[in-house]
Amino acid sequence: MNKKIIEIEDLVKRYPMGEAEFTALKRINLTFEKGEFAGFVGPSGSGKTTILNIIGSLDTPTEGRVSVEGEDVSHLSEKASARLRKEHIGFIFQSFNLLPVYTVFENVELSLLLLKQSAAARKKAVTQALEWVGLQDMARKKPPQLSGGESQRVAIARAIVKRPNIVLADEPTANLDAENAHIIMRTMQRLNEELKTTFIFATHDEKVMQYLKRKIHLLDGYVDKDEILESNTVES
Amino acid sequence: MKLALKLAYKNLIRAGLKTWLNALALSFAFVLIIFYNGMIDGWNNEARQDAIAWEYGTGHLRNAAYDPMDPFTIQDGHGVLPEQYREHLTPILVWQGTLYPHGRMMPVLIKGIEPGQTTVKIPSGVLKNSTAGYPVLLGRKMAESAGLKEGDQVLLRWRDRNGTFDAVEVTVAGIFETNVPFVDGGQVWIALNTLRKMTGLTDEATFFIADENYTPTPVDGWTFVDQKMLLKPVTNLINAKKYGAAFMYLLLLAIGLLVIFDTQAFSIFRRQKEIGTHIAMGMTRGEVIRMFTVEGAMYSIFAIILGGIYGAPLFIYLAKNGISFPVSGDTMGIIIAPTIYSIYSTALIVKTFLLLVISATLVSLLATRKIAGMNPVEALKGKAL
């Protein structure tokens, strides 16, 4: 059995909505093991992004406990949660969130700069990450010169360059066409297999779902179904 | 800090023209502050040098009853200084009189000076060489206001020590040019011994001008006023000008800083996703604030570089060739040379540098404070503000 990397116990998240409160997550209990390729699926407003943000310590639970890499994110100081993200978590966003004034190389390098790695180590790691996503020839280009698919591959390289244990991907294919969506998913699938990185998605895209080995169906803040699909592999 | 500097530098350089336009706006303030202060310092230096050369020497030994600010003290503010104290001192006797140029009446101060003196730049040697009966020296401003030129004769009237009126035709033996209005306007310079004879004040003087070898010694009935004290009105006047000018360039600085504030505030609004991304990648809000603040501070560094590029040649030119004023300073009653040579001291440049960097940093910090309360989830969506 693999090591438990994320443990979620009785997670509740409420947001104020005017005078009242909106409950986005209702008593969620889940665990994730190292190397999983899992995803939260469900319609808009079901709580997919919220739970991803809490796991990524960008948001905090209202009730319950979420432990990531043994650290309870609900009680972390800002500095400690920043350190957790910096060292252990990579993010991939729907709109790529690349820094437009930096080159592809510099965008990917940024995570390593935050980790204060040496220039030589950074260069080696960035080159390797760009090779993983097949963009080694685009290192000097800037995001506005890239297509949507290429931009998302840069975002993947940026997320994995520091070899995090967890990568959280929020609707990573939403802005991509079908072909690019498959390229992106296959890239992440390969990285999951080669690097044993845990990938957790938030998606309602069928193209993503067919790659997942575990689908957690969310509906109105509840876990509706937790499916293990070990045989779910898509051939290129 | 090193990372903040690196990222801020990259962000600004890559922003291209926008960065340089902001820096240019701020550089105007930088150049103007140095230009104006350099000019004031140059003026200060020349004014002090001129005042020393023409009027003050290294100090004045005044008769205790004489106050140069009070004309009523002239009548009694004179005396005989014992011989043993007169070394390195040039006596000046001040007396009131009336000049009648072209039928007009002009109250004047008659100043007796030794024709052979070299302590001050009053060209008193002219009085010694003149063959006229009563040769006098006038400053250009005085000559112009009296409508007199060299060789002209004019009636001078005065009262002697006993109050008896007397008058004589004096001859304008020379007209001198000076930047110091206090030795020119309303004054008639005459040989000391002549004035002593005219007034009956044998061996007397109102004050003495000390040369550089003079050592102040207490003398009963006389007060030594040193150079620093004498220059105080000049220093005060220049400082007043400096503070007045500060308003103008601080206004310009404020405009430059407002540009930075606007740019940074807008930048934070526009770059919310970037801020969210930085936080998601492991930066604390404090680190993001530091990066944005350094960006703002860096504008001032770029402004200094830019200001240096176009300002340095201007400053070098002004320091070498000076800046000429169409209106002579003597018409304003202040010591001002026709050409002022600016002085740009290291202290001035360092002070201006610090003023710019510190104020730009503070303004930038003010603009970036909003990041502290930013929700990273909302920032990632670009909806935090």
Side-chain angles (χ1 to χ4, degrees):
Chain A
M1 180 164 167
N2 276 337
K3 176 190 162 194
K4 281 180 187 166
I5 201 163
I6 300 164
E7 292 174 275
I8 302 171
E9 292 170 24
D10 292 327
L11 172 63
V12 175
K13 181 67 185 179
R14 293 189 202 97
Y15 292 110
M17 275 189 94
E19 298 281 301
E21 275 189 332
F22 167 73
T23 308
L25 297 171
K26 298 162 186 168
R27 302 266 163 230
I28 305 281
N29 287 284
L30 288 167
T31 56
F32 291 90
E33 291 176 0
K34 186 169 167 57
E36 281 202 49
F37 201 73
F40 293 102
V41 299
S44 292
S46 58
K48 306 184 297 287
T49 300
T50 304
I51 198 165
L52 221 57
N53 287 335
I54 292 173
I55 293 170
S57 79
L58 290 171
D59 206 347
T60 50
T62 310
E63 286 175 30
R65 182 177 163 275
V66 176
S67 164
V68 178
E69 287 281 341
E71 303 223 47
D72 185 354
V73 298
S74 43
H75 296 107
L76 286 182
S77 66
E78 195 201 347
K79 209 171 173 180
S81 76
R83 197 184 59 237
L84 177 71
R85 289 192 298 273
K86 184 162 62 182
E87 291 174 359
H88 299 295
I89 302 172
F91 287 89
I92 298 167
F93 305 102
Q94 179 181 335
S95 53
F96 325 130
N97 286 37
L98 298 178
L99 308 181
V101 296
Y102 292 2
T103 62
V104 163
F105 186 95
E106 288 163 344
N107 264 285
V108 177
E109 187 190 27
L110 194 56
S111 323
L112 306 177
L113 277 171
L114 296 176
L115 286 167
K116 296 188 170 80
Q117 289 193 5
S118 69
R122 290 200 307 267
K123 192 177 176 188
K124 191 179 165 192
V126 173
T127 307
Q128 192 178 28
L130 289 176
E131 277 171 15
W132 282 335
V133 296
L135 289 177
Q136 58 271 38
D137 298 332
M138 301 213 171
R140 287 170 178 240
K141 290 200 171 180
K142 287 191 180 163
Q145 297 170 283
L146 304 176
S147 68
E150 287 164 344
S151 295
Q152 197 59 300
R153 278 149 69 195
V154 175
I156 294 170
R158 183 179 64 185
I160 54 147
V161 70
K162 62 187 175 190
R163 303 288 188 99
N165 291 331
I166 304 160
V167 170
L168 302 172
D170 188 6
E171 305 282 10
T173 57
N175 286 339
L176 304 178
D177 57 34
E179 190 190 345
N180 272 307
H182 284 293
I183 292 170
I184 294 299
M185 287 312 296
R186 278 197 292 271
T187 305
M188 288 195 272
Q189 194 180 44
R190 187 165 50 84
L191 290 168
N192 168 251
E193 284 161 9
E194 287 177 14
L195 305 176
K196 301 291 171 225
T197 306
T198 307
F199 277 80
I200 303 176
F201 297 83
T203 185
H204 61 268
D205 185 349
E206 287 296 332
K207 296 188 290 294
V208 175
M209 287 184 212
Q210 60 185 297
Y211 287 87
L212 300 178
K213 291 178 182 170
R214 181 182 176 192
K215 273 197 270 187
I216 302 152
H217 297 261
L218 291 180
L219 190 64
D220 295 334
Y222 291 106
V223 175
D224 187 42
K225 195 160 68 171
D226 190 352
E227 280 184 284
I228 306 292
L229 306 157
E230 270 304 333
S231 59
N232 199 357
T233 50
V234 179
E235 293 304 320
S236 50
Chain B
M1 195 55 167
K2 197 176 158 192
L3 179 65
L5 277 169
K6 193 172 180 172
L7 296 179
Y9 175 77
K10 218 181 264 186
N11 288 341
L12 287 185
I13 288 290
R14 301 281 170 84
L17 189 63
K18 190 192 81 182
T19 298
W20 293 109
L21 284 175
N22 286 337
L24 188 68
L26 198 59
S27 75
F28 290 141
F30 175 67
V31 169
L32 194 77
I33 291 170
I34 293 187
F35 166 75
Y36 207 92
N37 279 296
M39 204 175 73
I40 297 261
D41 287 347
W43 173 27
N44 186 9
N45 182 54
E46 285 178 53
R48 292 168 75 90
Q49 294 304 324
D50 283 345
I52 290 165
W54 283 90
E55 192 183 8
Y56 296 148
T58 57
H60 282 181
L61 182 67
R62 284 181 192 154
N63 185 280
Y66 173 66
D67 175 1
M69 304 306 288
D70 181 1
F72 292 109
T73 60
I74 293 173
Q75 185 67 34
D76 300 316
H78 48 82
V80 178
L81 183 72
E83 190 66 40
Q84 69 268 29
Y85 297 115
R86 293 189 194 177
E87 206 179 1
H88 302 299
L89 290 172
T90 298
I92 303 288
L93 178 62
V94 183
W95 204 245
Q96 283 175 309
T98 309
L99 205 64
Y100 292 88
H102 308 295
R104 289 189 292 131
M105 187 175 82
M106 282 180 83
V108 292
L109 276 184
I110 310 167
K111 285 189 173 174
I113 187 168
E114 280 178 349
Q117 67 81 32
T118 51
T119 308
V120 286
K121 279 171 81 177
I122 306 285
S124 50
V126 172
L127 301 171
K128 190 164 60 181
N129 301 330
S130 174
T131 53
Y134 287 91
V136 295
L137 261 176
L138 301 178
R140 182 188 47 78
K141 186 190 170 193
M142 173 64 188
E144 277 175 7
S145 65
L148 295 170
K149 56 186 189 302
E150 223 173 285
D152 281 356
Q153 288 196 320
V154 61
L155 186 72
L156 177 68
R157 193 181 71 153
W158 71 97
R159 285 172 187 259
D160 68 14
R161 67 180 308 163
N162 300 312
T164 311
F165 278 110
D166 203 348
V168 70
E169 286 275 339
V170 295
T171 304
V172 180
I175 294 170
F176 61 87
E177 187 71 48
T178 178
N179 303 321
V180 183
F182 314 117
V183 295
D184 182 343
Q187 297 180 36
V188 174
W189 293 86
I190 196 164
L192 179 65
N193 283 338
T194 308
L195 184 60
R196 280 173 173 166
K197 276 181 202 157
M198 284 158 65
T199 54
L201 299 169
T202 311
D203 211 26
E204 294 201 30
T206 308
F207 66 90
F208 291 82
I209 304 170
D211 67 20
E212 62 270 22
N213 298 317
Y214 177 73
T215 311
T217 316
V219 191
D220 201 29
W222 295 83
T223 311
F224 184 71
V225 184
D226 65 12
Q227 194 184 68
K228 194 179 165 190
M229 199 66 190
L230 289 169
L231 285 168
K232 211 172 170 186
V234 177
T235 311
N236 288 347
L237 174 75
I238 287 165
N239 281 341
K241 284 274 167 202
K242 214 171 195 172
Y243 299 138
F247 176 76
M248 187 179 70
Y249 61 69
L250 286 178
L251 199 68
L252 198 70
L253 178 66
I255 294 169
L257 293 175
L258 193 67
V259 169
I260 290 187
F261 182 86
D262 272 2
T263 304
Q264 289 301 86
F266 180 65
S267 181
I268 285 154
F269 181 78
R270 198 172 43 85
R271 290 162 67 187
Q272 287 180 70
K273 278 191 178 183
E274 184 184 326
I275 292 167
T277 307
H278 280 301
I279 294 173
M281 289 172 78
M283 272 190 175
T284 60
R285 287 183 190 85
E287 284 169 329
V288 179
I289 289 174
R290 194 184 306 160
M291 185 180 77
F292 273 81
T293 305
V294 169
E295 257 186 56
M298 224 170 245
Y299 276 119
S300 61
I301 306 286
F302 287 174
I304 289 162
I305 293 168
L306 210 58
I309 290 169
Y310 69 81
L314 177 77
F315 297 150
I316 292 167
Y317 176 84
L318 291 177
K320 276 188 178 170
N321 301 296
I323 183 164
S324 299
F325 286 88
V327 181
S328 175
D330 57 20
T331 60
M332 296 184 277
I334 52 175
I335 307 171
I336 185 164
T339 302
I340 288 181
Y341 296 88
S342 303
I343 294 175
Y344 305 106
S345 63
T346 311
L348 169 65
I349 291 165
V350 169
K351 265 194 268 181
T352 314
F353 177 93
L354 288 176
L355 172 73
L356 215 65
V357 173
I358 292 170
S359 54
T361 306
L362 290 176
V363 160
S364 184
L365 183 64
L366 211 65
T368 53
R369 277 178 318 163
K370 283 200 165 186
I371 295 171
M374 212 180 245
N375 178 343
V377 174
E378 296 301 315
L380 280 166
K381 294 183 211 160
K383 294 176 182 170
L385 295 174

